[in-house]
Amino acid sequence: MPSTKLAIYTALGANLLIAVTKFVAAGISGSSAMVSEGIHSLVDTLNEVLLLVGLRKSQQPADQRRPFGYGKEIYFYSYLVSILIFAVGGGVSFYEGVTHILDPHVIEDPFWNYIVLGIAFALDGFSLITATKAFNAQRGEQAFWVAVRDSKDPSSFVVLFEDAADVLGLMIAFLGVFLGHTLQNPYFDGAASILIGLILTAVSLVLARESRSLLMGEGAGAAIEAQITEVTQAHPSVETVVQTLTFQVGPEQIVLVQRVRFLSHLTAVQLTQSIEQIHQQLQAAIPTLTHIFIEPQSGNRLFQQSPTALSTGHA
């Protein structure tokens, strides 16, 4: 989490500075692509603020109103960010490009555009490197797209995708300005703005899909569920693990419901003690398990006699 926050703060500072310089350059040169890039950086600045708000809210402790905690706040804010990239970043950039093509004008002096694009590329490049390091630290040996799909912390890959779109957008903006000025053809500038809008829309759709999946509810993943089953199955009182159900309520918050068949000769006291021991062992092995509910199955003779005494939940 600290590396993720560093990446967000880095992107926030870079985008805020870049947005100001881009709008100044656009005002001087009249470049459509520079206006789109300025809007892009302004939206990204707002996005970083929203991600920081989501992270802060997600770390609030559980209370009576939210007994499972506030972890899903970061999923909501990540989804909101993806919508903003589409509606504001992509939509306005596309509109600006179309407007410029319908009412074209040649860039007279692109000097300040090149200066701003160079500064922006350096800042966004540094931000992208920071975000990439943070994401790579989380994904470990996983393949890139597998890590994006399986990640339970959307703030890490949201910043990464934003920064990558920034760098790619800057390259396209440079080509639009350069070709438009060199060939005295304003349509290159407008086309660059449209292409930037399409890129932002594509990034938005990817981020929206991943954030929506987390918001709607995902399991903890096959690897963690296998580890949970292994720890439970290793307890000497367990005959078999019938079912392991997990629910990710935040990047580091998992709810577990496990149905377990215990040895039939256990007394009620022994069964309760076994459940307590498994609970402790699971939390020691996987600290992100914040709520654990272990349900003895009806195959146990004692469960059939007194189900309320043997089915316990732990928080």
Side-chain angles (χ1 to χ4, degrees):
M1 192 68 73
S3 60
T4 299
K5 282 188 175 181
L6 175 61
I8 295 175
Y9 279 117
T10 302
L12 174 61
N15 285 318
L16 184 58
L17 180 60
I18 292 168
V20 174
T21 55
K22 283 177 180 176
F23 281 125
V24 171
I28 295 173
S29 66
S31 168
S32 171
M34 287 304 298
V35 172
S36 297
E37 276 298 300
I39 294 169
H40 181 184
S41 295
L42 193 61
V43 172
D44 283 351
T45 302
L46 176 60
N47 289 344
E48 264 72 72
V49 172
L50 290 174
L51 288 176
L52 289 172
V53 171
L55 280 174
R56 182 179 60 81
K57 286 180 172 291
S58 70
Q59 292 167 359
Q60 294 181 79
D63 53 30
Q64 189 172 8
R65 186 179 181 185
R66 299 275 190 89
F68 292 108
Y70 288 77
K72 278 188 173 291
E73 291 282 357
I74 186 59
Y75 298 156
F76 168 75
Y77 280 92
S78 297
Y79 187 71
L80 186 60
V81 164
S82 68
I83 299 302
L84 280 174
I85 293 175
F86 170 75
V88 182
V92 174
S93 294
F94 190 87
Y95 172 80
E96 181 68 24
V98 172
T99 301
H100 191 78
I101 288 177
L102 294 177
D103 183 22
H105 55 273
V106 178
I107 299 174
E108 296 180 2
D109 184 6
F111 174 77
W112 287 107
N113 286 21
Y114 294 143
I115 295 296
V116 171
L117 287 171
I119 294 172
F121 189 84
L123 292 173
D124 275 332
F126 176 75
S127 181
L128 177 60
I129 291 172
T130 303
T132 301
K133 288 181 178 179
F135 183 73
N136 286 340
Q138 288 190 4
R139 75 183 179 103
E141 298 299 322
Q142 282 185 302
F144 178 83
W145 285 108
V146 173
V148 171
R149 185 192 62 202
D150 293 347
S151 175
K152 307 306 178 184
D153 182 8
S155 60
S156 61
F157 61 76
V158 166
V159 175
L160 177 63
F161 274 73
E162 276 187 4
D163 288 342
D166 287 344
V167 172
L168 185 57
L170 288 169
M171 293 178 180
I172 294 172
F174 170 80
L175 287 175
V177 172
F178 175 77
L179 293 176
H181 176 70
T182 302
L183 302 177
Q184 291 295 292
N185 186 339
Y187 293 110
F188 281 106
D189 192 32
S193 187
I194 291 175
L195 188 53
I196 291 171
L198 293 175
I199 289 171
L200 291 176
T201 299
V203 168
S204 169
L205 292 175
V206 172
L207 295 180
R209 183 189 65 185
E210 297 302 325
S211 297
R212 177 184 177 276
S213 180
L214 289 166
L215 185 61
M216 296 301 292
E218 286 187 1
I224 289 181
E225 290 178 0
Q227 185 181 2
I228 291 170
T229 301
E230 182 181 357
V231 170
T232 304
Q233 191 72 58
H235 195 276
S237 68
V238 173
E239 180 180 313
T240 186
V241 174
V242 178
Q243 190 176 34
T244 298
L245 300 174
T246 59
F247 181 60
Q248 196 85 32
V249 296
E252 297 181 1
Q253 297 165 282
I254 302 172
V255 174
L256 167 66
V257 177
Q258 196 170 46
R259 298 185 174 94
V260 180
R261 182 172 293 115
F262 291 87
L263 298 176
S264 59
H265 66 267
L266 297 178
T267 65
V269 173
Q270 290 173 327
L271 186 54
T272 301
Q273 290 175 342
S274 296
I275 291 175
E276 291 285 353
Q277 291 168 3
I278 294 171
H279 172 268
Q280 294 171 6
Q281 291 169 1
L282 284 171
Q283 281 205 316
I286 309 170
T288 50
L289 288 172
T290 54
H291 296 79
I292 300 174
F293 302 90
I294 298 178
E295 300 179 2
Q297 287 301 281
S298 57
N300 292 291
R301 175 175 51 83
L302 291 174
F303 176 79
Q304 294 172 342
Q305 294 175 1
S306 179
T308 56
L310 299 177
S311 182
T312 60
H314 304 268

